[in-house]
Amino acid sequence: MISDIFVYILNMSLSAVWPILAVMLIRLVFKKMPKKFRIVLWGIVAVRLVCPNLPGSPASLVPSSQVIAQESSAGGSFIINSGISPVDIAADKITGSSVFSSVNTAAVTDVFAYIWLAGSVGILIYTVVSYFMLKRKVGTAVLFNENVYECDNVSSPFVFGLIKPKIYLPFNISPADRGSVILHENAHIRRRDHITKTVGFLITAVHWFNPFVVLSFILLCRDIELACDESIVINMDKEQRSDYMQALFDMSVKKSRISICPLSFGEVTVKERIKSVMNGKKPAKALLAVCVALCVITGACFLTDRYTRDNMPDKLKTAVDFAVLSDNDGKYLEGEFKTVSSKILGVTRGIRETKVYALCLYDEWTAQNGLLYSVSGSFTPVAMTFYNPSSSNAPYVLKSYETPSDGSLYSDSVKRIFPVSMWGQVLYMSDSASSDLHENSRKNALEHFGLDENTPEHNLPFDYNVPETTIAVKADN
């Protein structure tokens, strides 16, 4: 159970590396972007880190959302599907070596799963203890006005609490700085920054093993402070900005660790914040439009997965099944029932055409005297091109159906037909992929013939007679 959860978390964490890198690149290139849009971009990363299943889209730039196969936690071999061919090829060679062949993958996964769990629980326990210690520390605070308190035991201003957040100030704060500080902390509360940071921390506590996620949280905290400053100074005159910058100097603090609380007035380096305050101005409408478009595009590319069998449009599934059935019909010894089961490697959609890359299993079945027999079939990588529907009621129409050549020409034909990112999966088709598809087809056959789900599969009898009629059905995977 823990191992399955860990593999789920690991896959979400690995697939989130791509939007994290994208957001970092955007931050670097679009330096004039209003800081509030950075928070939106980090929100895209957060969704990626908490949602195991996202809709399929041809616009997705995430190579694979299932980098580690679930079989690893069930005692099967380690199966790496990063979506990047060189990585997959290298991983297949390593996991297929004699060293790994003797490894108990379930036991190894269990060990890592409990290490992950211990780390997350440890972080949360530390956080809860720190929370109550800080709560005790500010227990002697006295009310200044409304939600603002003063306390001897704190050295810098901060917001504390989630439901009813309060502002805590040190007693020794100067009257000149107090106004700017309260303005800043109230802006945090108004923007719900204390909630944003808490959610970010909890996500980081789950994905603590991923350095990219930890770095993302650090950058999020910086962007929260910069965005808060930006929202305040945008309407200030030069004198007010000067007073605000002086408060930054006076209240600056150095953080030596990441904490869930509090939101402190001087968390980001003073140099960076003062530079932001000095250069802050109301953004042009054109810049806002570009930023909105950039956030939408980033979401479309990283809040979606590449098409799989589960998230493909139903009409496209039907077109794929029919194409495989049509191509294999009559090629093999016939049974009474035909099934198609496929693993979708990728889908590319153009204005007029859609191309589907898949590993397709075609099976012929029969049943005699309450026994199930696998008559014939094939397991083949296929590249299918369809004309897009001309209307909402029109079907996909097959344009081409390509399979690799046999023998010595197989490798070259795979590289000609399939994208580079899929070479590893096609050239080194795993036995587990074939067996999973076959098991799915077997269940469909058992259901069709009305046999018990525990009915074993038997070899075809020597006196088998080809039936006059057959029934074809798809087997979803």
Side-chain angles (χ1 to χ4, degrees):
M1 178 64 178
I2 294 297
S3 297
D4 292 336
I5 295 174
F6 173 64
V7 172
Y8 246 90
I9 297 295
L10 182 59
N11 278 320
M12 287 192 291
S13 199
L14 292 173
S15 64
V17 169
W18 301 105
I20 290 172
L21 293 175
V23 173
M24 289 180 180
L25 180 62
I26 292 171
R27 290 175 83 256
L28 184 65
V29 175
F30 296 91
K31 294 183 178 180
K32 292 185 178 180
M33 169 186 281
K35 305 304 184 293
K36 61 184 178 181
F37 287 102
R38 290 185 180 182
I39 311 303
V40 175
L41 291 172
W42 289 126
I44 292 172
V45 173
V47 172
R48 188 85 227 185
L49 285 166
V50 299
C51 293
N53 297 308
L54 291 169
S57 168
S60 178
L61 293 182
V62 179
S64 174
S65 60
Q66 297 293 323
V67 179
I68 308 296
Q70 204 73 15
E71 287 87 346
S72 301
S73 63
S77 59
F78 282 108
I79 301 171
I80 308 298
N81 176 25
S82 68
I84 304 173
S85 186
V87 174
D88 292 340
I89 292 172
D92 284 340
K93 289 181 179 179
I94 293 172
T95 57
S97 65
S98 57
V99 176
F100 271 84
S101 61
S102 59
V103 173
N104 185 334
T105 57
V108 171
T109 307
D110 284 343
V111 170
F112 282 111
Y114 282 105
I115 291 174
W116 160 74
L117 183 62
S120 293
V121 172
I123 292 170
L124 294 176
I125 290 175
Y126 173 79
T127 301
V128 172
V129 171
S130 298
Y131 177 88
F132 283 105
M133 287 179 64
L134 184 56
K135 187 174 182 179
R136 181 179 180 183
K137 193 175 182 180
V138 299
T140 57
V142 296
L143 181 65
F144 177 74
N145 64 21
E146 296 182 352
N147 66 329
V148 182
Y149 290 78
E150 291 184 315
C151 182
D152 274 331
N153 297 326
V154 299
S155 58
S156 62
F158 59 86
V159 173
F160 185 62
L162 287 178
I163 307 301
K164 294 181 179 180
K166 297 179 177 63
I167 298 171
Y168 290 89
L169 308 176
F171 267 116
N172 61 356
I173 189 171
S174 68
D177 291 338
R178 185 181 288 114
S180 294
V181 170
I182 294 176
L183 184 66
H184 176 88
E185 301 302 346
N186 272 322
H188 272 313
I189 295 173
R190 185 178 64 253
R191 290 163 45 84
R192 306 289 190 270
D193 287 337
H194 57 296
I195 297 175
T196 301
K197 187 176 179 181
T198 301
V199 172
F201 180 86
L202 293 175
I203 293 174
T204 306
V206 173
H207 295 270
W208 62 266
F209 55 87
N210 188 335
F212 288 96
V213 177
V214 176
L215 179 58
S216 296
F217 180 67
I218 295 172
L219 294 176
L220 169 67
C221 292
R222 295 177 66 178
D223 290 339
I224 285 174
E225 289 298 325
L226 294 172
C228 185
D229 288 338
E230 188 178 69
S231 69
I232 295 171
V233 304
I234 196 168
N235 295 315
M236 284 184 173
D237 56 31
K238 288 184 178 181
E239 184 178 350
Q240 290 172 322
R241 290 192 184 200
S242 178
D243 292 340
Y244 191 82
M245 286 188 288
Q246 184 61 50
L248 288 180
F249 270 119
D250 295 340
M251 293 291 105
S252 62
V253 295
K254 294 182 179 180
K255 288 284 182 180
S256 60
R257 57 186 171 84
I258 301 171
S259 61
I260 186 173
C261 59
L263 279 170
S264 179
F265 184 77
E267 280 186 297
V268 185
T269 59
V270 177
K271 182 180 178 180
E272 184 178 3
R273 291 181 67 183
I274 288 180
K275 184 179 179 181
S276 177
V277 170
M278 290 176 62
N279 298 330
K281 59 182 180 180
K282 193 171 183 178
K285 291 183 179 179
L287 177 59
L288 291 175
V290 170
C291 292
V292 170
L294 195 58
C295 290
V296 171
I297 292 171
T298 303
C301 293
F302 295 104
L303 288 183
T304 56
D305 290 330
R306 290 188 176 180
Y307 273 132
T308 64
R309 181 81 191 188
D310 292 332
N311 60 28
M312 280 174 58
D314 289 337
K315 284 201 298 185
L316 189 53
K317 289 182 186 179
T318 301
V320 169
D321 292 333
F322 184 76
V324 176
L325 285 168
S326 298
D327 183 77
N328 287 276
D329 189 34
K331 288 185 177 180
Y332 307 98
L333 185 63
E334 292 191 349
E336 297 175 87
F337 185 68
K338 301 177 182 180
T339 59
V340 173
S341 194
S342 56
K343 177 182 179 180
I344 305 300
L345 302 180
V347 177
T348 57
R349 183 179 176 86
I351 297 175
R352 303 180 67 180
E353 298 176 352
T354 295
K355 196 154 192 173
V356 179
Y357 302 94
L359 301 179
C360 298
L361 180 69
Y362 172 83
D363 280 312
E364 300 256 5
W365 303 89
T366 193
Q368 295 181 6
N369 302 320
L371 301 177
L372 179 68
Y373 297 96
S374 177
V375 178
S376 61
S378 66
F379 181 47
T380 313
V382 182
M384 293 164 270
T385 303
F386 299 92
Y387 291 113
N388 292 333
S390 56
S391 66
S392 59
N393 296 323
Y396 285 87
V397 178
L398 183 66
K399 177 185 177 181
S400 64
Y401 188 97
E402 297 178 277
T403 58
S405 303
D406 293 330
S408 60
L409 299 177
Y410 181 81
S411 179
D412 289 339
S413 61
V414 165
K415 294 177 180 179
R416 175 179 56 83
I417 297 172
F418 291 86
V420 175
S421 61
M422 300 176 192
W423 287 358
Q425 297 178 77
V426 177
L427 291 173
Y428 303 95
M429 292 189 298
S430 64
D431 291 336
S432 63
S434 174
S435 60
D436 287 346
L437 295 176
H438 186 77
E439 177 61 20
N440 198 46
S441 294
R442 189 182 74 87
K443 289 179 179 178
N444 278 269
L446 289 171
E447 183 180 353
H448 170 76
F449 291 114
L451 300 176
D452 184 82
E453 62 179 10
N454 296 319
T455 301
E457 183 180 326
H458 295 270
N459 294 324
L460 193 67
F462 291 108
D463 59 348
Y464 174 71
N465 294 317
V466 177
E468 295 183 2
T469 59
T470 59
I471 299 176
V473 68
K474 69 178 181 179
D476 289 335
N477 184 68

